[in-house]
Amino acid sequence: MEKTFLMVKPDGVQRNLIGEIVGRFENKGFQLVGAKLMQIPTELAEQHYGEHKERPFFGELVDFITSGPVFAMVWEGENVISTARLMMGATNPKDSAPGTVRGDFAVTVGKNIIHGSDSPESAEREIGLFFNQEELVSYSKSSNDWIN
Ligand code: DAT
Ligand code: MG
């Protein structure tokens, strides 16, 4: 089954949105297979956002993502990578549709509440950066029969 890496950023944690965000993905029908509250070390933040190293906002991005605890998660489900991106909304909240996480809770691109992998390759890379294999749980729920 497809897996993706999602993370409630420091602004989402401070604004008490962990439960709201977890609830949206649970209600959708996806399954949580790993989660932890953590403080991201600078080196991990730089690796995670490596593709943006040359961008002018890279320093601010690393400072922001390490500014407080984040809630890192792995979710599983059919097409979970692309569907989670839709549920997050556009990167810049000024363009995020209402009903999406960013559209409902964020105003500015620098504080946009949630991260989600953008492709199967990034999902695999990001899950590997944040989680050990033993931290991911494989289990089945009877409700899955009513979803898939
Ligand atoms: P996403 O988080 O939607 O995958 P991204 O990978 O292009 O977006 O950028 C990573 C994060 O960097 C994004 O969530 C917020 C920040 N960011 C992106 N573009 C920015 C910009 N023009 N100015 C400031 N921060 C930006
Ligand atoms: Mg991205």
Side-chain angles (χ1 to χ4, degrees):
M1 188 58 92
E2 188 171 292
K3 289 183 179 57
T4 196
F5 174 70
L6 301 182
M7 173 167 70
V8 182
K9 296 183 181 183
D11 52 339
V13 173
Q14 293 297 326
R15 292 178 54 197
N16 305 313
L17 291 171
I18 294 174
E20 166 73 34
I21 289 168
V22 169
R24 286 182 178 218
F25 291 94
E26 279 188 325
N27 290 340
K28 173 70 176 173
F30 293 137
Q31 184 169 319
L32 188 62
V33 296
K36 57 184 167 188
L37 186 73
M38 63 182 285
Q39 172 70 48
I40 305 185
T42 303
E43 191 175 306
L44 175 58
E46 288 171 351
Q47 275 181 290
H48 172 65
Y49 280 128
E51 64 172 315
H52 299 304
K53 207 166 44 200
E54 308 304 330
R55 309 283 284 276
F57 57 82
F58 183 69
E60 269 174 62
L61 183 56
V62 169
D63 286 349
F64 171 62
I65 208 69
T66 57
S67 65
V70 300
F71 193 65
M73 301 167 280
V74 178
W75 287 85
E76 190 174 82
E78 204 171 297
N79 299 314
V80 67
I81 299 171
S82 58
T83 304
R85 292 286 298 187
L86 286 175
M87 291 170 66
M88 287 162 52
T91 302
N92 193 327
K94 78 177 167 55
D95 305 317
S96 315
T100 65
V101 173
R102 289 165 171 171
D104 289 349
F105 302 114
V107 172
T108 185
V109 68
K111 297 193 173 73
N112 63 3
I113 306 281
I114 185 168
H115 169 84
S117 307
D118 64 5
S119 67
E121 296 69 36
S122 355
E124 194 183 338
R125 188 181 78 86
E126 293 169 359
I127 291 169
L129 277 177
F130 282 84
F131 288 90
N132 296 320
Q133 204 55 47
E134 316 84 74
E135 295 176 298
L136 303 181
V137 184
S138 176
Y139 64 110
S140 60
K141 291 198 286 190
S142 54
S143 57
N144 285 343
D145 296 339
W146 298 97
I147 292 165
N148 293 307

